[in-house]
Amino acid sequence: MQGKRILLGITGGIAAYKIAFLIRMLKKSGAEVRCIMTPASSDFISPLVVSTLSGNPVGIEFWNKQTGEWTNHVEFGLWADVLVIAPLTASSLAKMAIGNSDNLLLATYLSMKCPTLVAPAMDLDMYQHPSVKRNLLQLEADQVVVIPAERGELASGLEGEGRMAEPETIFKAIATFFEQKNTGRLKGHKILITAGPTFEAIDPVRFIGNHSSGKMGFEIAKVCLSEGADVVLIAGPTHQTLTHHRLQQIDVVSADEMFEAVKAHWESSDTGVFAAAVADYKPISVASSKMKKSDIDPTIALVKNPDLLAWAGAHKSKNQYLVGFALETEDLLQNGMLKLKKKNLDFIVLNSLADEGAGFSVDTNKITILDERNKQTEFELSSKQKVAENIVEYLINSIQ
Ligand code: CTP
């Protein structure tokens, strides 16, 4: 970030107080920071704090009432390498979407020569409102990079989506932007992702499940979203959460429910990444009330679940691209190739349980990608986040 010129726009939301931390981080990393605040934002953070931390006077009004001096918004726009608006309220978002310039920040946005990043922050119901979603999509169509709001405790006392991304996340998004990684290479693509385990009910309180955390599928969804894709994420029971205006998350419990969601969305998707650890079998019948110890037959009869990936492969058109996963203990490549052919995949991500640090409940993974021409690409043991980046990079190179 050394020497980068960052123009920070602050609008009037409670999250504005967190911007002090962001300014500190940016300054520490060697960036130059100048700030413009909307008049409403000074109710949430003092301009004195902002100017002291940034080391520069703060722009608030078009002209200084004491000196009569005019603030040149065009000059701000020419100075900056990037404009970052955080927090972005629903009101400022709406004004940006229609090109309203009724304060210094909005006028500056309209005269910017450099890219803009925004970090929305609002209450639960506001963030879910169709007009807000529409405005965010409009901003993206205008080439603005949206740093999605997160899920968590909100100032209203409600719990849910709408909380501004943490200063660390915004900082990372700015750094990524300068590394030019986030280039929207999946814009216009609709990607269907399955993630997590499935639970197969025995009775209303018991089930057959597995230890999948869902992390791999969620990390892949995050990378696809940051590359501009529309994502349908079909998730079994996990503790993972993800919020994004281009994300449709469908929560399911059983393999049958996951299958219904896959069937509803596969035809309209151009790419499928099936990372879920779907239970291969389910109990033949589910008791309608909790079974008493004395009633339980110690042997549970099972039937096979549908194979979702094989179904998608069998219904794949020539414009669709399909990726599967396999967890093997032996003959990794040979078994991987068999699965790839049987399920009609374009490539398969192989995990070997024999590798230390790979598998379900750990945060790291070691993969080999095998494609339908038998090309093998091995990757080093890395975090699941990095592995997701590798998989999506491979996908982008394959579909282009
Ligand atoms: N998969 C699926 N539906 C199932 C089982 C698996 O969609 N009912 C998908 C997984 O999401 C994964 C791939 O198929 O992408 C491989 O799963 P795996 O269980 O390793 O393969 P199987 O074909 O079930 O083979 P086996 O368990 O015999 O190794």
Side-chain angles (χ1 to χ4, degrees):
M1 219 74 97
Q2 190 64 41
K4 293 281 187 285
R5 294 190 288 199
I6 296 165
L7 182 60
L8 208 54
I10 306 171
T11 74
I14 186 74
Y17 80 92
K18 291 190 183 173
I19 296 311
F21 300 101
L22 178 61
I23 299 173
R24 290 274 294 150
M25 273 182 240
L26 291 168
K27 292 286 288 181
K28 272 195 173 167
S29 70
E32 283 183 57
V33 181
R34 290 173 74 178
C35 299
I36 304 181
M37 299 174 63
T38 60
S41 71
S42 57
D43 287 339
F44 299 95
I45 184 167
S46 152
L48 184 61
V49 171
V50 174
S51 71
T52 307
L53 291 176
S54 66
N56 278 310
V58 178
I60 301 180
E61 304 285 355
F62 282 108
W63 60 286
N64 185 320
K65 290 190 176 79
Q66 265 101 47
T67 61
E69 221 173 290
W70 178 59
T71 310
N72 188 342
H73 60 271
V74 178
E75 191 266 324
F76 268 122
L78 290 172
W79 171 84
D81 292 320
V82 69
L83 168 65
V84 181
I85 305 184
L88 176 67
T89 58
S91 166
S92 293
L93 165 67
K95 289 178 184 177
M96 285 171 77
I98 58 164
N100 179 324
S101 67
D102 73 356
N103 62 42
L104 181 65
L105 177 59
L106 294 166
T108 306
Y109 166 66
L110 292 182
S111 22
M112 290 309 291
K113 296 281 177 281
C114 67
T116 302
L117 276 68
V118 297
M122 53 200 86
D123 219 319
L124 182 63
D125 303 330
M126 296 171 82
Y127 197 61
Q128 294 302 334
H129 198 277
S131 64
V132 167
K133 293 194 170 177
R134 207 163 52 231
N135 287 338
L136 284 171
L137 290 172
Q138 180 59 55
L139 253 54
E140 285 199 321
D142 297 340
Q143 310 305 319
V144 172
V145 176
V146 178
I147 306 164
E150 294 172 355
R151 196 183 282 252
E153 201 182 313
L154 298 160
S156 60
L158 293 174
E159 176 90 22
E161 295 165 4
R163 198 176 139 115
M164 186 182 77
E166 290 300 326
E168 290 80 4
T169 311
I170 301 175
F171 180 86
K172 262 194 218 147
I174 301 170
T176 306
F177 166 79
F178 281 121
E179 284 165 23
Q180 306 237 298
K181 267 159 68 191
N182 188 357
T183 49
R185 291 173 295 169
L186 289 174
K187 222 173 207 172
H189 287 273
K190 181 174 166 190
I191 304 193
L192 175 71
I193 299 172
T194 68
T198 64
F199 288 175
E200 309 302 325
I202 298 169
D203 69 15
V205 293
R206 302 180 181 91
F207 61 86
I208 299 172
N210 61 63
H211 287 299
S212 166
S213 64
K215 200 163 169 103
M216 202 60 250
F218 274 73
E219 290 298 334
I220 291 171
K222 277 187 213 166
V223 184
C224 290
L225 288 164
S226 74
E227 285 286 357
D230 293 308
V231 173
V232 176
L233 176 62
I234 307 172
T238 72
H239 297 291
Q240 310 282 332
T241 58
L242 191 53
T243 303
H244 198 287
H245 54 283
R246 271 186 278 101
L247 170 75
Q248 184 184 355
Q249 184 174 330
I250 302 168
D251 292 321
V252 297
V253 176
S254 65
D256 282 331
E257 284 172 23
M258 194 175 269
F259 192 31
E260 286 313 306
V262 165
K263 283 194 283 188
H265 289 276
W266 177 227
E267 201 186 333
S268 60
S269 307
D270 56 76
T271 305
V273 181
F274 283 54
V278 184
D280 286 320
Y281 291 90
K282 65 182 172 194
I284 200 159
S285 62
V286 182
S288 54
S289 53
K290 182 178 174 251
M291 291 160 86
K292 299 296 277 176
K293 258 195 298 293
S294 49
D295 300 340
I296 298 182
D297 181 343
T299 312
I300 299 173
L302 302 174
V303 281
K304 223 170 180 0
N305 264 327
D307 188 320
L308 286 48
L309 180 60
W311 180 90
H315 293 81
K316 187 173 81 168
S317 71
K318 65 177 188 331
N319 300 324
Q320 285 178 308
Y321 205 85
L322 189 56
V323 179
F325 281 71
L327 189 64
E328 303 289 346
T329 42
E330 53 208 23
D331 299 331
L332 183 69
L333 293 170
Q334 204 184 341
N335 284 334
M337 191 38 106
L338 281 176
K339 263 178 212 173
L340 180 144
K341 291 243 177 319
K342 199 171 93 189
K343 302 193 187 191
N344 193 22
L345 311 180
D346 294 282
F347 70 80
I348 188 159
V349 182
L350 305 173
N351 302 276
S352 164
L353 266 188
D355 286 313
E356 210 175 303
F360 268 8
S361 37
V362 285
D363 266 350
T364 51
N365 208 354
K366 179 157 177 13
I367 59 158
T368 301
I369 292 183
L370 185 64
D371 78 4
E372 93 287 16
R373 289 194 210 105
N374 209 8
K375 188 177 115 197
Q376 297 151 26
T377 313
E378 262 191 61
F379 295 85
E380 307 211 309
L381 179 75
S382 353
S383 66
K384 286 190 174 166
Q385 190 183 347
K386 181 74 199 155
V387 171
E389 283 171 17
N390 289 335
I391 294 170
V392 176
E393 191 67 34
Y394 193 95
L395 175 71
I396 290 170
N397 291 330
S398 311
I399 60 180
Q400 272 168 355

